[in-house]
Amino acid sequence: MDLEEALTRIMELSREELHIVRKRAEEKTAARDHGEDYHQMTQAADRLDHYAHVLRRLHDGEFGHGWRHESLQDAGGS
């Protein structure tokens, strides 16, 4: 996967998750309501996180070490 493909997938999945989040907000769906849209949102979030990690590896491959400032602490995860 190259940088363009990763960025495209991130944009698509971001839109998908945002659409679901907005729909839930519009319907005033409680966070504890784990209906079909909740599962769609978690699946979209999982795929988005996957591509974010792919993008991070691509950036590291492109720029090497020592270039991170904002995201330096994010490398370890939680």
Side-chain angles (χ1 to χ4, degrees), residues 25-56:
E26 187 176 292
E27 295 173 354
K28 295 182 175 32
T29 304
R32 66 184 175 278
D33 181 2
H34 291 197
E36 180 63 27
D37 61 347
Y38 174 84
H39 295 292
Q40 290 172 349
M41 188 171 62
T42 59
Q43 289 173 347
D46 184 40
R47 290 190 311 266
L48 179 59
D49 287 352
H50 168 73
Y51 284 101
H53 288 288
V54 168
L55 182 63
R56 184 178 185 95

Side-chain angles (χ1 to χ4, degrees), residues 6-78:
L7 288 169
T8 298
R9 290 297 295 151
I10 286 172
M11 288 179 5
E12 291 168 354
L13 293 166
S14 296
R15 284 189 199 107
E16 181 181 336
E17 186 176 353
L18 183 57
H19 172 76
I20 298 166
V21 167
R22 286 178 174 165
K23 178 182 170 216
R24 288 175 64 88
E26 187 176 292
E27 295 173 354
K28 295 182 175 32
T29 304
R32 66 184 175 278
D33 181 2
H34 291 197
E36 180 63 27
D37 61 347
Y38 174 84
H39 295 292
Q40 290 172 349
M41 188 171 62
T42 59
Q43 289 173 347
D46 184 40
R47 290 190 311 266
L48 179 59
D49 287 352
H50 168 73
Y51 284 101
H53 288 288
V54 168
L55 182 63
R56 184 178 185 95
R57 287 192 302 269
L58 289 168
H59 282 157
D60 285 344
E62 180 74 21
F63 303 125
H65 298 290
W67 67 276
R68 292 192 183 277
H69 299 285
E70 294 287 329
S71 62
L72 185 61
Q73 300 299 343
D74 299 339
S78 45

